Amino acid sequence: MNARLQEMSVKKNPDWEGLRKDFPILNQKVHGHPLVYLDNAATSQKPRVVLESLDHYYEKDNANVHRGIHELSNRSTVSFESARTRTAQFLGADSPEIVFTRGTTESINLVAQAWGAKHIRAGDTILLTEMEHHSNIVPWQMLAERVGAKIRWLPVTGDEGLLDLGRLDEFLTRDVKLFSFTHISNTLGTVNPAAELCERARKLGIVTLLDAAQSAGHCPLDVREIGCDFLAFSGHKICGPTGIGVLYGRQQLLEETPPWQGGGEMILNVGFDKTTYKKPPHRFEAGTPDISGAIVLKTALDYLDGIGRENIFQHDQELASHAYDGLAALGGIRIFGPKKGRAGLVSFLLNDVHAHDVVTFADQRGIALRGGHHCNQPLHKKLGIESSARASFYFYNTKAEVDRLIEVIRETQKFFGSPR
Ligand code: PMP
């Protein structure tokens, strides 16, 4: 079922307070205050069903996949492969187009090292944007250095944090072989028009990679509707465990891509003189995969689709705009990213207070924020800053928590005598 059809079968107005109770970790005090977890862009918390699914796997079914003939190995293999089918459905893709990886970072490295090394040559251009995460910068820099390619950067407009789409034609030129960009910026909260960008690239035969680390599990995603060639996301940011991630690759592109890591599982036949390889996706999964991770990821995807990604997106947006308005009303604060249409996160900087001080002050009051460059160093440099504080939301966060954040930021300003 494609993502949109799936959404239609989900009810509007989920019981958000009830869902929050699914997350045992949220029910605790930190430094004597109720925990307010607002670091979801770094990693999400896990609902009880996900934790139980991990226990179930190790208590009942644990065995290696694709190898044994015995019952446990069969069960494990069936569950692992059905996790692939479910992930494909989650993205509107076909099962062979889903490669399990360690996360977004590894997925992008796979494309850079395997597809990129074959298709990108000296003098070619790789197009990125100024808002990319280091995971979507460094693998391309490594490749560019290796093959002698160039990297160009589609500009961001400034604090408003939009891609400068008016200049797209200047950057989408015939020498560009790959355009890799983030769907949602993990610092700015900008939601990029992925389908439009992919269409513009496709017209020039440019391959596209969508970094969906911040969008998978936060909004409906359908690779056919978006029209991207590759897409990467991480399980741990969407209620799944750490250590599992996904690379979607359009079948024809995966077929053309040579293996990257060698070892067991990815071969058809190994001889003393020559080895032949399996077809995708198994060609890209050398060695024992993260079996439990994939199986538990499936539980997370089922859980999220039970809530409805459209509902989650709306809830994220409501919290983010409530936070934006509340913070802006304090004065003496610089908020990054668009005012309207932003995803569920807000990065900001108080006049004359270091982001780390803001985060430490908030932590002492039970609020988990993130402070630093959020693996967006070039973007921070472009904005003329070294770091920012970030509050990032998920569906289990509440308006009351956002109000608490605003109250604590007001206290922070008072404490540090931050000028308005
Ligand atoms: N891209 C973006 C936009 C991200 O926000 C992140 C994680 N912060 C990543 C890539 C990397 O994800 P991971 O560390 O799970 O590989």
Side-chain angles (χ1 to χ4, degrees):
M1 208 190 322
N2 91 7
R4 222 162 274 300
L5 287 176
Q6 177 102 25
E7 287 297 328
M8 285 164 64
S9 58
V10 165
K11 67 171 188 293
K12 290 277 164 210
N13 304 322
D15 169 15
W16 300 112
E17 281 296 331
L19 287 168
R20 187 179 165 85
K21 296 199 182 86
D22 292 342
F23 293 78
I25 199 169
L26 296 177
N27 186 21
Q28 63 173 295
K29 290 195 165 171
V30 168
H31 303 305
H33 298 272
L35 168 65
V36 176
Y37 184 79
L38 302 181
D39 195 16
N40 294 286
T43 198
S44 76
Q45 299 302 349
K46 324 299 171 199
R48 197 174 274 108
V49 280
V50 162
L51 305 176
E52 285 167 359
S53 157
L54 188 65
D55 278 355
H56 178 94
Y57 171 74
Y58 281 116
E59 282 175 10
K60 306 278 186 208
D61 298 333
N62 176 48
N64 213 328
V65 286
H66 304 138
R67 298 182 183 187
I69 296 168
H70 60 82
E71 169 64 16
L72 292 193
S73 178
N74 280 339
R75 261 192 241 156
S76 206
T77 306
V78 167
S79 302
F80 182 72
E81 289 303 327
S82 78
R84 193 189 307 279
T85 310
R86 178 65 182 92
T87 307
Q89 182 204 21
F90 186 77
L91 294 177
D94 291 329
S95 205
E97 297 177 313
I98 301 301
V99 180
F100 285 121
T101 63
R102 282 196 300 122
T104 309
T105 304
E106 191 174 72
S107 298
I108 297 174
N109 275 279
L110 193 168
V111 178
Q113 289 177 36
W115 181 87
K118 181 173 168 191
H119 292 92
I120 295 182
R121 310 253 155 79
D124 287 345
T125 298
I126 297 164
L127 181 61
L128 306 176
T129 83
E130 285 180 344
M131 64 170 77
E132 297 314 313
H133 187 278
H134 296 170
S135 299
N136 196 24
I137 295 177
V138 186
W140 305 116
Q141 288 176 328
M142 289 163 65
L143 174 68
E145 204 169 309
R146 205 165 115 199
V147 303
K150 291 190 298 268
I151 297 183
R152 292 191 75 201
W153 307 88
L154 186 63
V156 168
T157 50
D159 282 14
E160 191 198 9
L162 298 172
L163 288 178
D164 196 347
L165 296 178
R167 294 183 62 192
L168 200 54
D169 284 339
E170 227 181 280
F171 287 86
L172 273 183
T173 45
R174 295 241 167 238
D175 54 323
V176 175
K177 289 289 168 303
L178 177 100
F179 180 24
S180 188
F181 63 95
T182 192
H183 194 184
I184 291 180
S185 159
N186 64 306
T187 292
L188 302 164
T190 314
V191 185
N192 288 321
E196 182 190 330
L197 292 175
C198 289
E199 194 190 347
R200 297 274 293 269
R202 195 167 50 247
K203 282 192 179 140
L204 295 175
I206 298 166
V207 168
T208 49
L209 187 155
L210 188 65
D211 175 349
Q214 295 297 340
S215 61
H218 286 264
C219 62
L221 269 192
D222 186 306
V223 289
R224 307 273 184 251
E225 281 174 18
I226 294 171
C228 54
D229 293 302
F230 292 107
L231 178 147
F233 76 86
S234 305
H236 70 94
K237 291 187 197 281
I238 60 165
C239 295
T242 50
I244 187 75
V246 171
L247 171 68
Y248 154 80
R250 200 155 52 73
Q251 186 142 10
Q252 188 201 331
L253 271 96
L254 288 185
E255 301 274 355
E256 292 166 11
T257 305
W260 76 312
Q261 294 176 340
E265 305 280 344
M266 48 78 77
I267 54 90
L268 275 180
N269 194 19
V270 180
F272 285 116
D273 50 350
K274 188 175 162 50
T275 290
T276 52
Y277 307 116
K278 282 186 181 155
K279 284 176 149 311
H282 299 105
R283 182 193 295 169
F284 306 109
E285 294 176 357
T288 300
D290 183 359
I291 305 165
S292 62
I295 293 171
V296 175
L297 176 65
K298 174 181 182 295
T299 310
L301 302 184
D302 290 342
Y303 179 80
L304 291 172
D305 278 341
I307 304 168
R309 282 177 269 168
E310 198 79 65
N311 289 330
I312 293 174
F313 189 61
Q314 202 182 331
H315 185 79
D316 278 2
Q317 280 200 315
E318 279 169 19
L319 292 185
S321 89
H322 189 54
Y324 187 103
D325 292 345
L327 291 171
L330 294 176
I333 192 166
R334 192 172 158 196
I335 305 178
F336 304 99
K339 181 164 166 45
K340 288 216 160 63
R342 68 164 52 233
L345 61 95
V346 181
S347 298
F348 57 93
L349 206 50
L350 301 187
N351 290 351
D352 291 341
V353 188
H354 196 283
H356 286 171
D357 291 332
V358 174
V359 173
T360 307
F361 191 88
D363 176 55
Q364 291 305 310
R365 283 142 191 87
I367 303 182
L369 300 176
R370 172 103 183 235
H373 51 60
H374 321 305
C375 298
N376 274 147
Q377 245 179 332
L379 174 68
H380 277 71
K381 283 186 188 142
K382 156 102 185 191
L383 297 171
I385 55 174
E386 279 184 5
S387 57
S388 57
R390 179 183 73 191
S392 54
F393 313 107
Y394 213 1
F395 56 87
Y396 40 72
N397 291 123
T398 64
K399 273 205 168 144
E401 288 182 310
V402 176
D403 289 337
R404 174 79 184 132
L405 166 73
I406 295 161
E407 183 186 315
V408 166
I409 298 301
R410 186 183 291 119
E411 280 175 37
T412 316
Q413 288 181 318
K414 270 201 199 133
F415 183 86
F416 288 96
S418 170
R420 303 285 173 95

